[in-house]
Amino acid sequence: MRASQFFISTLKEAPGEAELVSHRLMLRAGLIRRLGSGLYTWMPLGLRVLRKVEGVVRDEMNRAGALELLMPAVQPAELWQESGRWEQFGEQMLKISDRHKREFCFGPTHEEVICDVARRELRSYRQLPVNYYQIQTKFRDEIRPRFGVMRAREFLMKDAYSFHEDFASLQITYDRMYAAYSAIFSRLGLVFRAVAADTGAIGGSGSHEFHVLADSGEDAIAFCPDSPYIANVELAEAVAPATARPAPAAALTQVPTPGKTTCADVAAFLQIDLRTTVKTLLGMDGEGRAVMLLLRGDHELNDVKAGKRIAGWRMATEAELIDLLGAVKGYMGPVGIDRSRIRVVADRAVAALGDFVVGANQAPLHLTGVNFGRDLPEPDAVEDLRNVVAGDPSPDGAGALELCRGIEVGHIFQLRTKYSEALQVTFLDRTGKSTVAEMGCYGIGVSRVVAAAIEQNHDERGIIFPRALAPFEVAIIPMGLSRSETVREAAEGLYAQLQAAGIDVLIDDRDERPGVLLADQELIGVPYRFVIGERGLKEGVIEFQGRRDVEAVKVPVGEALATVQAALAGN
RNA sequence: CGGGGCGUAGCGCAGCCCGGUAGCGCGCCUGCUUUGGGAGCAGGAUGUCGGAGGUUCGAAUCCUCUCGCCCCGACCA
């Protein structure tokens, strides 16, 4: 490609809207342009990158035996009513109606549609297993779109859905997808981890998320450096303390703590270890019954876990709080409450505490030296309610957990029969019996991968694309193209040579100063470049430099092709 | 949705508090010079000051309403 014939539109300064590095760089490099909140145009340069990701994904999906199809982006409401998700999906779904006032949605996902395809087409176990996939634009009306293409409302996704005669077959395909995903993200040159995950709103049983590791990631991941254990913090189990609860040693004492309404404040004020304080959270279960959650002062509630242990869990409203405990915000506690009205669920760590500190349910007072069994009844239940923290023992017993952050770029689920049941995807099994198909689903956020890759690969000059996603693999940058016939000949010669060799090459023949050409190449993230100038040509050499290299190397003109080929092969 | 903030030239911003009819840098256009790291000089173009209403002799500036966007929390690829 000739830069003069292409469209390179770089910005020296990033628009103020962009916060995240990848977002700023994508805007500055002219990969994307914003149309509205969560809506982006992929400019020619950015589209090349997006297409490269697609290409790798498609290639590996095909290799893993999946079949590409393309479903409509717009889907009729009836299908979603059938699965029960028309209402359930809620505000995230963009609902639209046609001229006949018939209702549709812009597909946020395609389980319903694929099930419709499957139930019409699949009749016999002989047709199974099948794995259909598509690369489609999705729309989810996110509560808060942000970080550019990272959490856009409209985004490009690869979604695959497999159908099986039994669970064993699903397991095989699931494992194959796991392997395919690993191959995809490896080929894309990303540092990633497959992480045990919560199944979230989509439902089902087994599930893994694929995370590109980056400090800016929105997900927290717990892993054990001494074992293969790795899980999303949402799911990671906080194991019960190994030590038994100590016997009460201190007397129950009421202490005034004016203005100290958080555990940290109270601990600092009383000069005690934060780990001996207990925080009290009041909420409601799905049936409107009050539940009090007890967590150690240094721990955080894990909402996903709470939701799983207590069906319909939500935090209490101000009014409910006043009704149940009086207006004692900041001074709530489990001592002396009406246990017939309020169920107490303690986190495992709390259950192992003795002589702890809680709010006294009276304005400026806390209680110290509190003990279960003596000062208040044992909790009604002891559960794992908290987020793990660094240093917690690994659930597999192999060592201590550490935390890192990741960007979720892929997710695979064993859906089992949740959708196939609702939408009646049945087939005749080996015995001639009508059976509901087992189902798996497998997503990759194609557009998000681009942002994640940049998040992981950049420096102060710009993007450093891994070869597999780079818009161009090599840039030829001639110094003074318009002034030097020698330079022109050498540059054009190399350009033709690289093109003939099938290398994705950009020759920057724009009438710009050298500084501009070099800066643009670096911003855009082309992984390799040749700089061709009269100075070097006099000695018969041109300069070759990898985007991460500090210095260029001088290469004899005749060896240029072999040099890039070697570099590209090693990448 | 709740909490914070911002809308002034293509981009980044100043001006607003204390009303007097809009400015800076980058970019863009023309010419000359320059040419191995985002050039120099000279000349030039560009604004419904987000929108509507109000106060005022006069509004980017004050008031009211509205729209859009960004940031922090619950969602997800």
mmCIF file with all atom_site columns, all heavy atoms in Angstrom, chain A residues 92 143-144 483 522 543, chain B residues 34-37 72 74-75:
data_model
loop_
_atom_site.group_PDB
_atom_site.id
_atom_site.type_symbol
_atom_site.label_atom_id
_atom_site.label_alt_id
_atom_site.label_comp_id
_atom_site.label_asym_id
_atom_site.label_entity_id
_atom_site.label_seq_id
_atom_site.pdbx_PDB_ins_code
_atom_site.Cartn_x
_atom_site.Cartn_y
_atom_site.Cartn_z
_atom_site.occupancy
_atom_site.B_iso_or_equiv
_atom_site.pdbx_formal_charge
_atom_site.auth_seq_id
_atom_site.auth_comp_id
_atom_site.auth_asym_id
_atom_site.auth_atom_id
_atom_site.pdbx_PDB_model_num
ATOM 1   N N     . GLN A 1 92  ? -30.668 -3.434 28.612 1.00 0.00 ? 92  GLN A N     1
ATOM 2   C CA    . GLN A 1 92  ? -29.498 -3.592 27.763 1.00 0.00 ? 92  GLN A CA    1
ATOM 3   C C     . GLN A 1 92  ? -29.864 -3.900 26.327 1.00 0.00 ? 92  GLN A C     1
ATOM 4   O O     . GLN A 1 92  ? -29.036 -3.803 25.435 1.00 0.00 ? 92  GLN A O     1
ATOM 5   C CB    . GLN A 1 92  ? -28.639 -4.729 28.302 1.00 0.00 ? 92  GLN A CB    1
ATOM 6   C CG    . GLN A 1 92  ? -27.533 -4.244 29.177 1.00 0.00 ? 92  GLN A CG    1
ATOM 7   C CD    . GLN A 1 92  ? -26.369 -5.190 29.124 1.00 0.00 ? 92  GLN A CD    1
ATOM 8   O OE1   . GLN A 1 92  ? -25.648 -5.250 28.141 1.00 0.00 ? 92  GLN A OE1   1
ATOM 9   N NE2   . GLN A 1 92  ? -26.163 -5.931 30.178 1.00 0.00 ? 92  GLN A NE2   1
ATOM 10  N N     . ILE A 1 143 ? -25.009 0.202  30.300 1.00 0.00 ? 143 ILE A N     1
ATOM 11  C CA    . ILE A 1 143 ? -25.339 1.242  31.271 1.00 0.00 ? 143 ILE A CA    1
ATOM 12  C C     . ILE A 1 143 ? -24.356 2.385  31.118 1.00 0.00 ? 143 ILE A C     1
ATOM 13  O O     . ILE A 1 143 ? -24.719 3.549  31.139 1.00 0.00 ? 143 ILE A O     1
ATOM 14  C CB    . ILE A 1 143 ? -25.244 0.679  32.700 1.00 0.00 ? 143 ILE A CB    1
ATOM 15  C CG1   . ILE A 1 143 ? -26.159 -0.527 32.828 1.00 0.00 ? 143 ILE A CG1   1
ATOM 16  C CG2   . ILE A 1 143 ? -25.596 1.746  33.717 1.00 0.00 ? 143 ILE A CG2   1
ATOM 17  C CD1   . ILE A 1 143 ? -25.858 -1.406 34.005 1.00 0.00 ? 143 ILE A CD1   1
ATOM 18  N N     . ARG A 1 144 ? -23.119 2.010  30.956 1.00 0.00 ? 144 ARG A N     1
ATOM 19  C CA    . ARG A 1 144 ? -22.105 3.046  30.771 1.00 0.00 ? 144 ARG A CA    1
ATOM 20  C C     . ARG A 1 144 ? -21.051 2.607  29.767 1.00 0.00 ? 144 ARG A C     1
ATOM 21  O O     . ARG A 1 144 ? -20.112 1.913  30.120 1.00 0.00 ? 144 ARG A O     1
ATOM 22  C CB    . ARG A 1 144 ? -21.419 3.359  32.099 1.00 0.00 ? 144 ARG A CB    1
ATOM 23  C CG    . ARG A 1 144 ? -20.453 4.501  31.984 1.00 0.00 ? 144 ARG A CG    1
ATOM 24  C CD    . ARG A 1 144 ? -20.366 5.248  33.264 1.00 0.00 ? 144 ARG A CD    1
ATOM 25  N NE    . ARG A 1 144 ? -19.263 4.757  34.084 1.00 0.00 ? 144 ARG A NE    1
ATOM 26  C CZ    . ARG A 1 144 ? -18.025 5.178  33.941 1.00 0.00 ? 144 ARG A CZ    1
ATOM 27  N NH1   . ARG A 1 144 ? -17.725 6.067  33.031 1.00 0.00 ? 144 ARG A NH1   1
ATOM 28  N NH2   . ARG A 1 144 ? -17.089 4.703  34.718 1.00 0.00 ? 144 ARG A NH2   1
ATOM 29  N N     . ARG A 1 483 ? 13.239  14.304 -3.747 1.00 0.00 ? 483 ARG A N     1
ATOM 30  C CA    . ARG A 1 483 ? 14.461  15.000 -4.130 1.00 0.00 ? 483 ARG A CA    1
ATOM 31  C C     . ARG A 1 483 ? 15.547  14.068 -4.656 1.00 0.00 ? 483 ARG A C     1
ATOM 32  O O     . ARG A 1 483 ? 16.523  14.511 -5.239 1.00 0.00 ? 483 ARG A O     1
ATOM 33  C CB    . ARG A 1 483 ? 15.031  15.766 -2.930 1.00 0.00 ? 483 ARG A CB    1
ATOM 34  C CG    . ARG A 1 483 ? 14.293  17.012 -2.593 1.00 0.00 ? 483 ARG A CG    1
ATOM 35  C CD    . ARG A 1 483 ? 14.761  17.557 -1.273 1.00 0.00 ? 483 ARG A CD    1
ATOM 36  N NE    . ARG A 1 483 ? 14.341  16.697 -0.166 1.00 0.00 ? 483 ARG A NE    1
ATOM 37  C CZ    . ARG A 1 483 ? 15.175  15.977 0.570  1.00 0.00 ? 483 ARG A CZ    1
ATOM 38  N NH1   . ARG A 1 483 ? 16.466  16.021 0.349  1.00 0.00 ? 483 ARG A NH1   1
ATOM 39  N NH2   . ARG A 1 483 ? 14.717  15.213 1.538  1.00 0.00 ? 483 ARG A NH2   1
ATOM 40  N N     . GLU A 1 522 ? 5.527   5.057  13.993 1.00 0.00 ? 522 GLU A N     1
ATOM 41  C CA    . GLU A 1 522 ? 5.600   4.608  15.374 1.00 0.00 ? 522 GLU A CA    1
ATOM 42  C C     . GLU A 1 522 ? 4.252   4.673  16.068 1.00 0.00 ? 522 GLU A C     1
ATOM 43  O O     . GLU A 1 522 ? 3.884   3.787  16.828 1.00 0.00 ? 522 GLU A O     1
ATOM 44  C CB    . GLU A 1 522 ? 6.651   5.429  16.137 1.00 0.00 ? 522 GLU A CB    1
ATOM 45  C CG    . GLU A 1 522 ? 8.057   5.040  15.717 1.00 0.00 ? 522 GLU A CG    1
ATOM 46  C CD    . GLU A 1 522 ? 9.114   6.083  16.036 1.00 0.00 ? 522 GLU A CD    1
ATOM 47  O OE1   . GLU A 1 522 ? 8.763   7.257  16.312 1.00 0.00 ? 522 GLU A OE1   1
ATOM 48  O OE2   . GLU A 1 522 ? 10.298  5.751  15.978 1.00 0.00 ? 522 GLU A OE2   1
ATOM 49  N N     . GLU A 1 543 ? 18.444  1.062  6.502  1.00 0.00 ? 543 GLU A N     1
ATOM 50  C CA    . GLU A 1 543 ? 18.294  0.774  7.927  1.00 0.00 ? 543 GLU A CA    1
ATOM 51  C C     . GLU A 1 543 ? 17.046  -0.040 8.189  1.00 0.00 ? 543 GLU A C     1
ATOM 52  O O     . GLU A 1 543 ? 15.994  0.224  7.615  1.00 0.00 ? 543 GLU A O     1
ATOM 53  C CB    . GLU A 1 543 ? 18.220  2.078  8.720  1.00 0.00 ? 543 GLU A CB    1
ATOM 54  C CG    . GLU A 1 543 ? 19.549  2.803  8.761  1.00 0.00 ? 543 GLU A CG    1
ATOM 55  C CD    . GLU A 1 543 ? 19.380  4.250  9.169  1.00 0.00 ? 543 GLU A CD    1
ATOM 56  O OE1   . GLU A 1 543 ? 18.486  4.532  9.990  1.00 0.00 ? 543 GLU A OE1   1
ATOM 57  O OE2   . GLU A 1 543 ? 20.123  5.088  8.634  1.00 0.00 ? 543 GLU A OE2   1
ATOM 58  P P     . U   B 2 34  ? 16.709  26.171 0.191  1.00 0.00 ? 34  U   B P     1
ATOM 59  O OP1   . U   B 2 34  ? 18.189  26.219 0.136  1.00 0.00 ? 34  U   B OP1   1
ATOM 60  O OP2   . U   B 2 34  ? 15.948  25.567 -0.924 1.00 0.00 ? 34  U   B OP2   1
ATOM 61  O "O5'" . U   B 2 34  ? 16.279  25.459 1.547  1.00 0.00 ? 34  U   B "O5'" 1
ATOM 62  C "C5'" . U   B 2 34  ? 16.975  25.732 2.774  1.00 0.00 ? 34  U   B "C5'" 1
ATOM 63  C "C4'" . U   B 2 34  ? 16.328  24.980 3.912  1.00 0.00 ? 34  U   B "C4'" 1
ATOM 64  O "O4'" . U   B 2 34  ? 14.906  25.241 3.912  1.00 0.00 ? 34  U   B "O4'" 1
ATOM 65  C "C3'" . U   B 2 34  ? 16.421  23.464 3.797  1.00 0.00 ? 34  U   B "C3'" 1
ATOM 66  O "O3'" . U   B 2 34  ? 17.654  22.983 4.272  1.00 0.00 ? 34  U   B "O3'" 1
ATOM 67  C "C2'" . U   B 2 34  ? 15.259  23.030 4.716  1.00 0.00 ? 34  U   B "C2'" 1
ATOM 68  O "O2'" . U   B 2 34  ? 15.602  23.128 6.071  1.00 0.00 ? 34  U   B "O2'" 1
ATOM 69  C "C1'" . U   B 2 34  ? 14.213  24.096 4.390  1.00 0.00 ? 34  U   B "C1'" 1
ATOM 70  N N1    . U   B 2 34  ? 13.264  23.648 3.355  1.00 0.00 ? 34  U   B N1    1
ATOM 71  C C2    . U   B 2 34  ? 12.254  22.764 3.755  1.00 0.00 ? 34  U   B C2    1
ATOM 72  O O2    . U   B 2 34  ? 12.152  22.364 4.897  1.00 0.00 ? 34  U   B O2    1
ATOM 73  N N3    . U   B 2 34  ? 11.406  22.386 2.765  1.00 0.00 ? 34  U   B N3    1
ATOM 74  C C4    . U   B 2 34  ? 11.431  22.768 1.446  1.00 0.00 ? 34  U   B C4    1
ATOM 75  O O4    . U   B 2 34  ? 10.582  22.333 0.659  1.00 0.00 ? 34  U   B O4    1
ATOM 76  C C5    . U   B 2 34  ? 12.497  23.675 1.105  1.00 0.00 ? 34  U   B C5    1
ATOM 77  C C6    . U   B 2 34  ? 13.357  24.073 2.054  1.00 0.00 ? 34  U   B C6    1
ATOM 78  P P     . U   B 2 35  ? 18.329  21.772 3.504  1.00 0.00 ? 35  U   B P     1
ATOM 79  O OP1   . U   B 2 35  ? 19.716  21.712 3.966  1.00 0.00 ? 35  U   B OP1   1
ATOM 80  O OP2   . U   B 2 35  ? 18.027  21.888 2.052  1.00 0.00 ? 35  U   B OP2   1
ATOM 81  O "O5'" . U   B 2 35  ? 17.542  20.504 4.060  1.00 0.00 ? 35  U   B "O5'" 1
ATOM 82  C "C5'" . U   B 2 35  ? 17.372  20.319 5.475  1.00 0.00 ? 35  U   B "C5'" 1
ATOM 83  C "C4'" . U   B 2 35  ? 16.379  19.205 5.677  1.00 0.00 ? 35  U   B "C4'" 1
ATOM 84  O "O4'" . U   B 2 35  ? 15.117  19.563 5.079  1.00 0.00 ? 35  U   B "O4'" 1
ATOM 85  C "C3'" . U   B 2 35  ? 16.835  17.905 5.023  1.00 0.00 ? 35  U   B "C3'" 1
ATOM 86  O "O3'" . U   B 2 35  ? 16.592  16.832 5.898  1.00 0.00 ? 35  U   B "O3'" 1
ATOM 87  C "C2'" . U   B 2 35  ? 15.953  17.780 3.798  1.00 0.00 ? 35  U   B "C2'" 1
ATOM 88  O "O2'" . U   B 2 35  ? 15.622  16.463 3.453  1.00 0.00 ? 35  U   B "O2'" 1
ATOM 89  C "C1'" . U   B 2 35  ? 14.682  18.516 4.240  1.00 0.00 ? 35  U   B "C1'" 1
ATOM 90  N N1    . U   B 2 35  ? 13.984  19.061 3.069  1.00 0.00 ? 35  U   B N1    1
ATOM 91  C C2    . U   B 2 35  ? 12.724  18.564 2.762  1.00 0.00 ? 35  U   B C2    1
ATOM 92  O O2    . U   B 2 35  ? 12.162  17.725 3.441  1.00 0.00 ? 35  U   B O2    1
ATOM 93  N N3    . U   B 2 35  ? 12.170  19.074 1.628  1.00 0.00 ? 35  U   B N3    1
ATOM 94  C C4    . U   B 2 35  ? 12.711  20.012 0.792  1.00 0.00 ? 35  U   B C4    1
ATOM 95  O O4    . U   B 2 35  ? 12.087  20.377 -0.197 1.00 0.00 ? 35  U   B O4    1
ATOM 96  C C5    . U   B 2 35  ? 14.018  20.485 1.183  1.00 0.00 ? 35  U   B C5    1
ATOM 97  C C6    . U   B 2 35  ? 14.594  20.004 2.274  1.00 0.00 ? 35  U   B C6    1
ATOM 98  P P     . G   B 2 36  ? 17.839  15.929 6.381  1.00 0.00 ? 36  G   B P     1
ATOM 99  O OP1   . G   B 2 36  ? 18.398  16.562 7.586  1.00 0.00 ? 36  G   B OP1   1
ATOM 100 O OP2   . G   B 2 36  ? 18.733  15.577 5.250  1.00 0.00 ? 36  G   B OP2   1
ATOM 101 O "O5'" . G   B 2 36  ? 16.987  14.633 6.769  1.00 0.00 ? 36  G   B "O5'" 1
ATOM 102 C "C5'" . G   B 2 36  ? 15.872  14.746 7.656  1.00 0.00 ? 36  G   B "C5'" 1
ATOM 103 C "C4'" . G   B 2 36  ? 16.088  13.780 8.810  1.00 0.00 ? 36  G   B "C4'" 1
ATOM 104 O "O4'" . G   B 2 36  ? 16.261  12.467 8.243  1.00 0.00 ? 36  G   B "O4'" 1
ATOM 105 C "C3'" . G   B 2 36  ? 17.333  14.061 9.636  1.00 0.00 ? 36  G   B "C3'" 1
ATOM 106 O "O3'" . G   B 2 36  ? 17.105  13.729 10.980 1.00 0.00 ? 36  G   B "O3'" 1
ATOM 107 C "C2'" . G   B 2 36  ? 18.366  13.109 9.060  1.00 0.00 ? 36  G   B "C2'" 1
ATOM 108 O "O2'" . G   B 2 36  ? 19.330  12.723 9.997  1.00 0.00 ? 36  G   B "O2'" 1
ATOM 109 C "C1'" . G   B 2 36  ? 17.482  11.917 8.707  1.00 0.00 ? 36  G   B "C1'" 1
ATOM 110 N N9    . G   B 2 36  ? 18.027  11.066 7.657  1.00 0.00 ? 36  G   B N9    1
ATOM 111 C C8    . G   B 2 36  ? 18.418  11.409 6.399  1.00 0.00 ? 36  G   B C8    1
ATOM 112 N N7    . G   B 2 36  ? 18.890  10.410 5.719  1.00 0.00 ? 36  G   B N7    1
ATOM 113 C C5    . G   B 2 36  ? 18.806  9.336  6.597  1.00 0.00 ? 36  G   B C5    1
ATOM 114 C C6    . G   B 2 36  ? 19.168  7.979  6.426  1.00 0.00 ? 36  G   B C6    1
ATOM 115 O O6    . G   B 2 36  ? 19.661  7.450  5.441  1.00 0.00 ? 36  G   B O6    1
ATOM 116 N N1    . G   B 2 36  ? 18.903  7.240  7.556  1.00 0.00 ? 36  G   B N1    1
ATOM 117 C C2    . G   B 2 36  ? 18.361  7.733  8.708  1.00 0.00 ? 36  G   B C2    1
ATOM 118 N N2    . G   B 2 36  ? 18.170  6.876  9.693  1.00 0.00 ? 36  G   B N2    1
ATOM 119 N N3    . G   B 2 36  ? 18.011  8.998  8.887  1.00 0.00 ? 36  G   B N3    1
ATOM 120 C C4    . G   B 2 36  ? 18.268  9.726  7.788  1.00 0.00 ? 36  G   B C4    1
ATOM 121 P P     . G   B 2 37  ? 16.419  14.678 12.014 1.00 0.00 ? 37  G   B P     1
ATOM 122 O OP1   . G   B 2 37  ? 16.574  16.090 11.633 1.00 0.00 ? 37  G   B OP1   1
ATOM 123 O OP2   . G   B 2 37  ? 16.791  14.222 13.378 1.00 0.00 ? 37  G   B OP2   1
ATOM 124 O "O5'" . G   B 2 37  ? 14.927  14.212 11.720 1.00 0.00 ? 37  G   B "O5'" 1
ATOM 125 C "C5'" . G   B 2 37  ? 13.854  15.155 11.632 1.00 0.00 ? 37  G   B "C5'" 1
ATOM 126 C "C4'" . G   B 2 37  ? 12.900  14.908 12.773 1.00 0.00 ? 37  G   B "C4'" 1
ATOM 127 O "O4'" . G   B 2 37  ? 12.632  13.484 12.851 1.00 0.00 ? 37  G   B "O4'" 1
ATOM 128 C "C3'" . G   B 2 37  ? 13.434  15.313 14.137 1.00 0.00 ? 37  G   B "C3'" 1
ATOM 129 O "O3'" . G   B 2 37  ? 12.367  15.818 14.905 1.00 0.00 ? 37  G   B "O3'" 1
ATOM 130 C "C2'" . G   B 2 37  ? 13.886  14.009 14.758 1.00 0.00 ? 37  G   B "C2'" 1
ATOM 131 O "O2'" . G   B 2 37  ? 13.805  14.032 16.165 1.00 0.00 ? 37  G   B "O2'" 1
ATOM 132 C "C1'" . G   B 2 37  ? 12.873  13.038 14.166 1.00 0.00 ? 37  G   B "C1'" 1
ATOM 133 N N9    . G   B 2 37  ? 13.311  11.659 14.121 1.00 0.00 ? 37  G   B N9    1
ATOM 134 C C8    . G   B 2 37  ? 14.485  11.153 13.643 1.00 0.00 ? 37  G   B C8    1
ATOM 135 N N7    . G   B 2 37  ? 14.539  9.858  13.740 1.00 0.00 ? 37  G   B N7    1
ATOM 136 C C5    . G   B 2 37  ? 13.333  9.489  14.337 1.00 0.00 ? 37  G   B C5    1
ATOM 137 C C6    . G   B 2 37  ? 12.813  8.226  14.702 1.00 0.00 ? 37  G   B C6    1
ATOM 138 O O6    . G   B 2 37  ? 13.343  7.128  14.563 1.00 0.00 ? 37  G   B O6    1
ATOM 139 N N1    . G   B 2 37  ? 11.555  8.313  15.275 1.00 0.00 ? 37  G   B N1    1
ATOM 140 C C2    . G   B 2 37  ? 10.884  9.478  15.459 1.00 0.00 ? 37  G   B C2    1
ATOM 141 N N2    . G   B 2 37  ? 9.687   9.386  16.025 1.00 0.00 ? 37  G   B N2    1
ATOM 142 N N3    . G   B 2 37  ? 11.334  10.680 15.125 1.00 0.00 ? 37  G   B N3    1
ATOM 143 C C4    . G   B 2 37  ? 12.559  10.602 14.577 1.00 0.00 ? 37  G   B C4    1
ATOM 144 P P     . C   B 2 72  ? -13.780 6.012  35.070 1.00 0.00 ? 72  C   B P     1
ATOM 145 O OP1   . C   B 2 72  ? -12.563 5.195  35.191 1.00 0.00 ? 72  C   B OP1   1
ATOM 146 O OP2   . C   B 2 72  ? -14.824 5.641  34.091 1.00 0.00 ? 72  C   B OP2   1
ATOM 147 O "O5'" . C   B 2 72  ? -14.472 6.130  36.514 1.00 0.00 ? 72  C   B "O5'" 1
ATOM 148 C "C5'" . C   B 2 72  ? -13.718 6.524  37.651 1.00 0.00 ? 72  C   B "C5'" 1
ATOM 149 C "C4'" . C   B 2 72  ? -14.597 6.542  38.880 1.00 0.00 ? 72  C   B "C4'" 1
ATOM 150 O "O4'" . C   B 2 72  ? -15.508 7.670  38.812 1.00 0.00 ? 72  C   B "O4'" 1
ATOM 151 C "C3'" . C   B 2 72  ? -15.531 5.354  39.058 1.00 0.00 ? 72  C   B "C3'" 1
ATOM 152 O "O3'" . C   B 2 72  ? -14.884 4.201  39.572 1.00 0.00 ? 72  C   B "O3'" 1
ATOM 153 C "C2'" . C   B 2 72  ? -16.561 5.925  40.018 1.00 0.00 ? 72  C   B "C2'" 1
ATOM 154 O "O2'" . C   B 2 72  ? -16.064 6.007  41.330 1.00 0.00 ? 72  C   B "O2'" 1
ATOM 155 C "C1'" . C   B 2 72  ? -16.736 7.323  39.438 1.00 0.00 ? 72  C   B "C1'" 1
ATOM 156 N N1    . C   B 2 72  ? -17.814 7.358  38.433 1.00 0.00 ? 72  C   B N1    1
ATOM 157 C C2    . C   B 2 72  ? -19.144 7.394  38.876 1.00 0.00 ? 72  C   B C2    1
ATOM 158 O O2    . C   B 2 72  ? -19.374 7.413  40.094 1.00 0.00 ? 72  C   B O2    1
ATOM 159 N N3    . C   B 2 72  ? -20.145 7.409  37.966 1.00 0.00 ? 72  C   B N3    1
ATOM 160 C C4    . C   B 2 72  ? -19.855 7.378  36.664 1.00 0.00 ? 72  C   B C4    1
ATOM 161 N N4    . C   B 2 72  ? -20.866 7.398  35.800 1.00 0.00 ? 72  C   B N4    1
ATOM 162 C C5    . C   B 2 72  ? -18.520 7.326  36.179 1.00 0.00 ? 72  C   B C5    1
ATOM 163 C C6    . C   B 2 72  ? -17.535 7.314  37.089 1.00 0.00 ? 72  C   B C6    1
ATOM 164 P P     . A   B 2 74  ? -19.249 -1.844 40.861 1.00 0.00 ? 74  A   B P     1
ATOM 165 O OP1   . A   B 2 74  ? -18.722 -2.840 41.796 1.00 0.00 ? 74  A   B OP1   1
ATOM 166 O OP2   . A   B 2 74  ? -18.493 -1.505 39.647 1.00 0.00 ? 74  A   B OP2   1
ATOM 167 O "O5'" . A   B 2 74  ? -20.730 -2.268 40.433 1.00 0.00 ? 74  A   B "O5'" 1
ATOM 168 C "C5'" . A   B 2 74  ? -21.384 -3.406 41.020 1.00 0.00 ? 74  A   B "C5'" 1
ATOM 169 C "C4'" . A   B 2 74  ? -22.845 -3.362 40.657 1.00 0.00 ? 74  A   B "C4'" 1
ATOM 170 O "O4'" . A   B 2 74  ? -23.247 -1.977 40.540 1.00 0.00 ? 74  A   B "O4'" 1
ATOM 171 C "C3'" . A   B 2 74  ? -23.190 -3.995 39.307 1.00 0.00 ? 74  A   B "C3'" 1
ATOM 172 O "O3'" . A   B 2 74  ? -23.553 -5.370 39.457 1.00 0.00 ? 74  A   B "O3'" 1
ATOM 173 C "C2'" . A   B 2 74  ? -24.384 -3.173 38.846 1.00 0.00 ? 74  A   B "C2'" 1
ATOM 174 O "O2'" . A   B 2 74  ? -25.590 -3.613 39.401 1.00 0.00 ? 74  A   B "O2'" 1
ATOM 175 C "C1'" . A   B 2 74  ? -24.041 -1.781 39.397 1.00 0.00 ? 74  A   B "C1'" 1
ATOM 176 N N9    . A   B 2 74  ? -23.301 -0.968 38.426 1.00 0.00 ? 74  A   B N9    1
ATOM 177 C C8    . A   B 2 74  ? -21.961 -0.960 38.182 1.00 0.00 ? 74  A   B C8    1
ATOM 178 N N7    . A   B 2 74  ? -21.590 -0.100 37.248 1.00 0.00 ? 74  A   B N7    1
ATOM 179 C C5    . A   B 2 74  ? -22.785 0.481  36.859 1.00 0.00 ? 74  A   B C5    1
ATOM 180 C C6    . A   B 2 74  ? -23.089 1.474  35.899 1.00 0.00 ? 74  A   B C6    1
ATOM 181 N N6    . A   B 2 74  ? -22.173 2.063  35.129 1.00 0.00 ? 74  A   B N6    1
ATOM 182 N N1    . A   B 2 74  ? -24.382 1.838  35.747 1.00 0.00 ? 74  A   B N1    1
ATOM 183 C C2    . A   B 2 74  ? -25.296 1.231  36.529 1.00 0.00 ? 74  A   B C2    1
ATOM 184 N N3    . A   B 2 74  ? -25.138 0.291  37.459 1.00 0.00 ? 74  A   B N3    1
ATOM 185 C C4    . A   B 2 74  ? -23.845 -0.040 37.571 1.00 0.00 ? 74  A   B C4    1
ATOM 186 P P     . C   B 2 75  ? -23.193 -6.431 38.347 1.00 0.00 ? 75  C   B P     1
ATOM 187 O OP1   . C   B 2 75  ? -23.836 -7.690 38.762 1.00 0.00 ? 75  C   B OP1   1
ATOM 188 O OP2   . C   B 2 75  ? -21.755 -6.430 38.083 1.00 0.00 ? 75  C   B OP2   1
ATOM 189 O "O5'" . C   B 2 75  ? -23.970 -5.856 37.089 1.00 0.00 ? 75  C   B "O5'" 1
ATOM 190 C "C5'" . C   B 2 75  ? -24.754 -6.706 36.269 1.00 0.00 ? 75  C   B "C5'" 1
ATOM 191 C "C4'" . C   B 2 75  ? -24.714 -6.250 34.832 1.00 0.00 ? 75  C   B "C4'" 1
ATOM 192 O "O4'" . C   B 2 75  ? -24.057 -4.970 34.744 1.00 0.00 ? 75  C   B "O4'" 1
ATOM 193 C "C3'" . C   B 2 75  ? -23.916 -7.130 33.877 1.00 0.00 ? 75  C   B "C3'" 1
ATOM 194 O "O3'" . C   B 2 75  ? -24.659 -8.233 33.398 1.00 0.00 ? 75  C   B "O3'" 1
ATOM 195 C "C2'" . C   B 2 75  ? -23.572 -6.165 32.756 1.00 0.00 ? 75  C   B "C2'" 1
ATOM 196 O "O2'" . C   B 2 75  ? -24.663 -5.993 31.872 1.00 0.00 ? 75  C   B "O2'" 1
ATOM 197 C "C1'" . C   B 2 75  ? -23.343 -4.865 33.527 1.00 0.00 ? 75  C   B "C1'" 1
ATOM 198 N N1    . C   B 2 75  ? -21.914 -4.631 33.823 1.00 0.00 ? 75  C   B N1    1
ATOM 199 C C2    . C   B 2 75  ? -21.061 -4.163 32.800 1.00 0.00 ? 75  C   B C2    1
ATOM 200 O O2    . C   B 2 75  ? -21.538 -3.967 31.671 1.00 0.00 ? 75  C   B O2    1
ATOM 201 N N3    . C   B 2 75  ? -19.754 -3.948 33.068 1.00 0.00 ? 75  C   B N3    1
ATOM 202 C C4    . C   B 2 75  ? -19.280 -4.174 34.297 1.00 0.00 ? 75  C   B C4    1
ATOM 203 N N4    . C   B 2 75  ? -17.992 -3.939 34.524 1.00 0.00 ? 75  C   B N4    1
ATOM 204 C C5    . C   B 2 75  ? -20.113 -4.655 35.354 1.00 0.00 ? 75  C   B C5    1
ATOM 205 C C6    . C   B 2 75  ? -21.407 -4.864 35.073 1.00 0.00 ? 75  C   B C6    1
#
